[in-house]
Amino acid sequence: MDNVEKVLPLIPLRGITIFPHMVLHFDVGREKSILALEEAMLREQKIFLVAQKQAKIEEPNEDDIFKIGTICNIKQILKLPGDTVRILVEGESRGRLAEYIKKEPFFEAKIEVLKDELIVENKEDEALIRAIRKSFDEYVKLSGNVPVETIITLDELEDPGRMADIVSSYLMLKQEAKQELLEAYTISERLKMLFDILNNEVDILKLERKLGLRVKTKLDKVQKEYYLREQLKAIQEELGEDDEDKKEIAKYKSKINKAKLPKPVKEKALYELDRLKNSGTYSSEGGVIRTYLDWILDLPWNNTTKDNLDIKDARKVLEEEHYGLEDVKDRIIEYLAVKQMSNSLRGPILCLVGPPGVGKTSIAKSIAHALNRNFVRMSLGGVRDEAEIRGHRKTYVGAIPGRVIYGMKQAKSKNPLFLLDEIDKMSSDFRGNPADALLEVLDTEQNSTFRDHYLELDFDLSNVLFITTANSLDTIPRPLLDRMEVIEVSGYTSEEKFHICKKHLIPKRLKEHEVDESKIKFSDSSIYHIIDRYTRESGVRTLERKCSTVIRKSMAEMIEKNKDNIMITINKVKTYLGPEIYSYDRAEEEDKIGVVMGMAWTGYGGDTLPIEVSVMKGTGKLELTGQLGDVMKESARAGYSYVRANGHKYGIEEEFYKSKDIHIHVPEGAVPKDGPSAGVTMITAMVSALGGKKVRHNVAMTGEITLTGRVLAIGGLKEKSLAAYRAGIDTVIVPKDNEKDILKVPKTIKSKLKYILADNIDIVLDNALVKDE
Ligand code: ADP
């Protein structure tokens, strides 16, 4: 046997013995034991349980405690009223107490783990095993307090040591006998001892029967319940809990009657109240029922708020609270118009898609405000378990309703605006697919009877106005996407950000800090400076944070220097916010060889993507470095093949690939980018580098490429245009197939960018490369 040792907290047991493999719960009350338990929970959740020699000793010392006990896993802990804790443990293996490590404030000891020896086939043992099974069978029938199924389980057990332990744990024995069995370390010894004890017990039971001592009449169920209830009442009276219980029950009863609950809900509530009466509010079951009743009573079964259907009013609220976002506002107004005419707000769910910080959440809040509805928000990011949406069944320990019902409780009315944030960040695993549950929530045909596993009652969600948000549409499960009407909220231009900042963000922040608007004023140029030099985002979240910092620092300065007001200028911004963070990925100042500005589109909006190519002597290798995804690598290779096949057209030496290596580098950005749309950029950079031709510094491009040089359509033209404009580009080359998307680009941007439509790479190169003088 190899001696494995463990250091574990120890609890001395009074009058119980735990065998390995046995699952048992018992109450722990002594302070020292509770401390040991807490320590065990902080560690591996293992504890050494060993019997006291005499149960009546309150504070045992080491001589009062046996040496052999059981190493147990703690499965569950339940705090009971008073300082008692109920724990559920499962025996793991025998252990011998080798030495005490400390005795205060709790026992801790070094324990030698006694693993069962390996089984050796042995005729004598085999005979004993059979005999024990037979006797135990008889014991179960005679005693009537062991579930019959145990016999079946035992029959399937191969391991004799384990079988002996399980049988031992079912026997009603004196503590000494149990301790002896536990101390029987070798399996043969254990089997022999158990056989003797078991036969002895069976003989006694037979005798009792004969004498008529054990009246085995089964009380019928009603009788039994009555008996138990009476007993419970007596105990409660004794403990003085009865009055409290009655008060509590009366309180629930009046709450249930006052709440306007639908009939089935009321019936269920009264049924549960009845159960509460019987179980007593102090029992652990009582606790479960109370929580359930609280949930029922807290839900807005019948409370509704009255919608404000005045379209002018709604438009005013939306305009006041948000700058731009015209598409969203128009759609909401249409929505209201439909509602007014048909008196139903059914229809597809709105899904606001766009990069973070563009105001998806806050416009949803405004819609709630405009409609006069309560607002709740639930984030679906990282939700992977169906039960998070639909709840756990009540039989589950610590069950709670799902997030939908939780949201409805917070909403306090049954017709709130319910925002489901980050619907694209949900995933699924073996615990079921949350998207399926969500489908039911969003489906107007089904959601009037939404059933949460915990509540087990139908809840009507058909009056809820659901709005969802996402950063990108790619990862939204198809069936969900089909139910939603997508409204894209793309990023803002610097001008738009300026207006948002001036009209909304700064006043909002000042109000939050309770500062009068006349005290801290921002100059227009300071706002632009923050936008251009301290933020780099499609939305305005960082901008809002930076403004907040400026405001806080100005307040500090006003107090320290006893100033009455402060004007924020560019210089002030620099002192408050420190060195400028972005010099801006501006377009190159001059035309260069092998450097081309591409445009990319990510979940965070558009971005520029400069690509660099250099050519050196070599053996025809193509090297790719920097931040390239798989798709981008493919398009680099396709571009390379195109240049090899067609290089002569652009004055590139025909067999360049025999003597030259090409190195393509894509600089790391904050956001990973991938996709085929860098194809044209790569070819242009390669042709420029190989042919020694300069690329215009004021041009940016995007487009997928085929091996024959055709330019294919790309996505996110609007966002890409914003990014190009931000970088100081004035000409963009885009695929001809994207012509229709140019319409969607904001006018301010469109008027400042020249769009060149290309259906093949020649047009791209023609416009991007500087012509020879
Ligand atoms: P999202 O949900 O898209 O990530 P948020 O709704 O959290 O973005 O918006 C971030 C902050 O920017 C909020 O304080 C919001 O009020 C503000 N904001 C965004 N867009 C606008 C806008 N068009 N007008 C006014 N404030 C805006």
Side-chain angles (χ1 to χ4, degrees), residues 321-325 355-363 421 492 500 504-505 508 540-541 544:
E321 293 181 2
H322 284 89
Y323 176 89
L325 300 173
V358 291
K360 299 181 297 295
T361 314
S362 78
I363 188 96
D421 236 351
Y492 299 114
I500 295 175
H504 299 279
L505 305 183
K508 198 163 77 185
V540 292
R541 213 173 267 171
E544 187 170 16

Side-chain angles (χ1 to χ4, degrees), residues 434-452:
D436 291 342
L438 207 58
L439 262 182
E440 198 186 314
V441 172
L442 297 181
D443 188 345
T444 40
E445 300 297 320
Q446 297 182 45
N447 70 6
S448 57
T449 55
F450 172 72
R451 201 165 247 264
D452 182 277

Side-chain angles (χ1 to χ4, degrees), residues 603-616:
Y604 293 90
D607 205 349
T608 47
L609 179 76
I611 289 183
E612 297 169 7
V613 170
S614 73
V615 175
M616 58 216 99

Side-chain angles (χ1 to χ4, degrees), residues 149-259:
E149 299 85 67
T150 10
I151 301 175
I152 303 167
T153 330
L154 273 187
D155 280 349
E156 285 163 6
L157 263 186
E158 301 262 308
D159 177 352
R162 184 166 179 166
M163 185 213 56
D165 282 339
I166 294 181
V167 170
S168 310
S169 67
Y170 279 110
L171 302 182
M172 304 281 275
L173 299 178
K174 288 215 179 90
Q175 165 126 37
E176 296 88 77
K178 286 207 171 189
Q179 184 67 29
E180 265 177 42
L181 276 170
L182 188 67
E183 293 192 0
Y185 170 61
T186 67
I187 292 183
S188 303
E189 193 189 338
R190 203 181 304 163
L191 291 173
K192 271 189 214 120
M193 197 183 284
L194 179 62
F195 178 67
D196 289 344
I197 292 178
L198 193 55
N199 279 342
N200 195 23
E201 286 299 304
V202 170
D203 286 346
I204 296 174
L205 284 176
K206 278 187 187 155
L207 201 63
E208 275 183 355
R209 253 226 163 157
K210 212 163 145 193
L211 297 175
L213 291 178
R214 283 177 83 82
V215 193
K216 266 197 77 201
T217 44
K218 273 192 187 157
L219 293 175
D220 73 45
K221 209 170 159 233
V222 184
Q223 228 177 337
K224 193 167 150 195
E225 255 181 32
Y226 172 78
Y227 171 72
L228 287 175
R229 243 182 257 163
E230 288 300 307
Q231 216 173 20
L232 197 70
K233 252 193 221 159
I235 295 172
Q236 281 174 339
E237 263 166 33
E238 195 71 16
L239 290 174
E241 286 172 1
D242 201 31
D243 282 352
E244 296 256 332
D245 265 13
K246 275 188 188 143
K247 263 190 234 157
E248 178 112 354
I249 303 265
K251 198 175 84 195
Y252 274 114
K253 186 147 199 171
S254 93
K255 273 194 194 166
I256 293 173
N257 285 330
K258 269 191 214 146

Side-chain angles (χ1 to χ4, degrees), residues 92-106:
E92 186 182 272
S93 61
R94 287 176 165 72
R96 176 183 292 120
L97 204 159
E99 107 188 62
Y100 280 92
I101 292 187
K102 66 174 169 197
K103 294 172 193 157
E104 292 300 336
F106 56 86

